Structure formats: C-alpha cells, structure tokens
Amino acid sequence: MVLGAVFHGFFSRISFLTPYLIFAMLFVTYCRIAAREVRFTALHWVLLAFQLGGGILLYLLLAPVSGVLAQGAFMCSFIPTAMAATTIGGMLGANVATMASFCLLSNMGVAVAAPVMFALFGAHPEYSFLRSLMLILWRVVPLLILPFVCAVVLDRFLPRWHEAVKRRQTVSFWLWAVSLTIVMGRTVEFLVRQPSANYGTEVALAVIALAICLIQFAVGRKIGRRYGDTVAGGQSLGQKNTVLAIWMAQTWLDPLASVAPAAYVVWQNIVNSIQLWRYKGTERQ
C-alpha cells in the first residue's frame, strides 16, 4: 500500500494489468478448491443474502445524502469474500471447506448481480442501461467465472498441472500484493489530480468503511454462531476482496468511491490482526 502511494505515477500507468492479475489470482486460488468438495448450506445462502442485500440497502439509504458515499458503502458490502479469508479463517479454527464453498458462491453471486447493479448505480449517464449492462457483463462475468471454469477443466484433463498449481498457493499472495500496489497507486494518482480537494468526503468514506467493516464481522459471527461456525461466518462476511472492489469502483462507479474499499483494506487487516493475536493468546493459556 505504501509502495503504491509513493510511486503512484508509475503504478497508475500500468493499472491496465489489474484485471489480468485478478484473473490469475482467482485461478490459482480456485485450484485449491476441489469442485466435488463444494457444498452449499443454509449458512452460505444467509451470508450471501446479507452481502448482496446489505450493499443495496446501504446504497438506497445513502444515495439521497451523497452518491459517492452511497457507492463507497455499496462496494464495501457488495463485493465478494476474499480468497485469503479461507487461510485466516483456518488459522482461527474455522471449517476451511465451509469457507471455501462460500468464497466460490460469493464470487458467483457478484458475477451475476454486479452488471445489473453497476448499470443502475454507475456514474456513466451517457450510457443507456442496456449498453452499460452489456459492457459490464463483457468485463465482469469472465473475470469472476472463467478462472473457476479453467481450474475445473485443468483438474479434469491435466490433473498433474492442476496439482502443481495447487501446491504453489503462495503465488496468489504475490499476485494479490502486486494488484493491491497497483490499485492503491491508481487511487492515490486520482486523488492527487483532482481539480478540487474532497477531504471531507474522503474522511467520510473511510469512516463509513470502518463502520461497515465492524458491522459485517459482528453480524457474520452472529450468523455463523447460529449455524455452528462462528469464525467462518465472521470471516466470510467481513473479509473482502478489496483489490477487486477498488478496481470495480474505479472502472464502473465514481472513482472517488474507491477510497472506501481502499480504507477497508486497512480496517479489515487491523481486525484480523487483533483476532489472530487474541486467538494465539488463548492457545498459549
């Protein structure tokens, strides 16, 4: 994040690489999930309903106040669960299979709903709804669904290659790190080149992101507790694919709205750090 902010000019110029990096990151991670092991339960559908429905509700509540705030809040809730949530959840004692299944469902749900939502809420009034919908479908759906299809095909026809990718999951971390650096660079570049300062709006977006982050972790844990896996619920709802969120906001919404998911990166990692510290402390006792 710091690297992207400091060298924002350079990373902004290579921001066209972001969707390719996201595709590769999802593909590598999906190779870790065996399709035959995916099982969707009531917990998954309740979490998905809160994820998508919460985003829409936040937008409708904040739209009369500010379109930018509404879009930023929408992205913090609507965006799918981060694949890294499975790793963090496993470290905290969650059922990894449960989380992996929801990561897949969460991404598929966004792939279906995002084109419609962005066409309705987007900041491109020069496009008709139908044109916006088709453009977004063309770019979003392949990005979120094709990596899973490629992983399944590789597993079916080239199992040795699939196993090789599966054993090299650290690659997805470095892809995520590079993607995060680039999107942060693009965000800072946009903020620096604004014709007028929007410090009040930026602070408001960061505060809203913090509130949504805490609410999602808390509500997710409450839902998870009801279905027998508190940690899986909290991580599934609270830990977001912020790289994807920032890129989508910059591409389809008001670019200023990307400040909210950019701030969410900080908040969710603070929450995760506290959780891991407390969990390790409990283990030592």
Side-chain angles (χ1 to χ4, degrees):
M1 291 174 64
V2 174
L3 190 66
V6 173
F7 300 101
H8 56 87
F10 168 75
F11 287 110
S12 179
R13 288 193 293 273
I14 62 172
S15 60
F16 65 91
L17 295 174
T18 304
Y20 301 103
L21 291 170
I22 293 173
F23 183 100
M25 178 175 61
L26 291 175
F27 167 72
V28 172
T29 309
Y30 281 143
C31 283
R32 188 175 61 180
I33 305 173
R36 58 186 173 275
E37 296 176 359
V38 174
R39 298 288 186 275
F40 298 133
T41 65
L43 170 62
H44 296 130
W45 296 110
V46 172
L47 291 173
L48 182 65
F50 192 92
Q51 171 193 323
L52 303 183
I56 295 170
L57 179 61
L58 285 169
Y59 180 88
L60 295 177
L61 289 174
L62 291 173
V65 179
S66 167
V68 174
L69 295 181
Q71 291 178 358
F74 167 74
M75 290 306 299
C76 288
S77 174
F78 178 80
I79 209 65
T81 302
M83 290 298 180
T86 304
T87 301
I88 300 296
M91 294 171 65
L92 293 170
N95 185 308
V96 174
T98 297
M99 292 202 62
S101 295
F102 183 72
C103 284
L104 177 60
L105 180 63
S106 179
N107 277 275
M108 297 303 108
V110 169
V112 172
V116 177
M117 296 298 101
F118 291 160
L120 288 172
F121 302 160
H124 301 286
E126 68 274 15
Y127 293 164
S128 66
F129 171 78
L130 184 59
R131 185 183 178 191
S132 296
L133 181 62
M134 296 307 295
L135 284 172
I136 299 167
L137 275 170
W138 178 251
R139 295 188 64 181
V140 171
V141 174
L143 180 67
L144 294 180
I145 293 181
L146 278 184
F148 178 70
V149 174
C150 291
V152 172
V153 170
L154 193 68
D155 186 25
R156 175 67 177 82
F157 296 103
L158 296 169
R160 293 180 62 182
W161 287 25
H162 181 272
E163 184 62 27
V165 175
K166 183 179 179 180
R167 291 197 305 266
R168 291 167 175 80
Q169 288 299 306
T170 52
V171 173
S172 64
F173 168 79
W174 293 109
L175 290 169
W176 170 82
V178 174
S179 301
L180 180 60
T181 304
I182 292 174
V183 296
M184 287 302 297
R186 184 177 175 184
T187 300
V188 172
E189 179 75 5
F190 167 76
L191 295 176
V192 168
R193 294 185 177 276
Q194 286 183 98
S196 59
N198 292 289
Y199 300 123
T201 302
E202 292 161 14
V203 171
L205 285 165
V207 172
I208 287 173
L210 173 59
I212 295 172
C213 179
L214 295 177
I215 290 170
Q216 290 188 136
F217 271 104
V219 172
R221 288 179 66 86
K222 187 173 182 179
I223 295 173
R225 187 178 301 115
R226 180 179 177 183
Y227 290 95
D229 199 330
T230 302
V231 175
Q235 296 305 123
S236 295
L237 204 56
Q239 191 169 343
K240 299 292 188 178
N241 187 341
T242 46
V243 170
L244 182 63
I246 296 170
W247 175 75
M248 284 182 164
Q250 292 172 344
T251 304
W252 302 112
L253 305 176
D254 189 317
L256 186 58
S258 65
V259 172
Y264 200 101
V265 179
V266 178
W267 306 137
Q268 75 175 9
N269 282 300
I270 290 175
V271 171
N272 282 334
S273 298
I274 293 172
Q275 288 187 116
L276 288 169
W277 173 69
R278 292 180 63 184
Y279 184 76
K280 294 299 181 183
T282 302
E283 279 190 329
R284 285 194 293 269
Q285 293 175 6

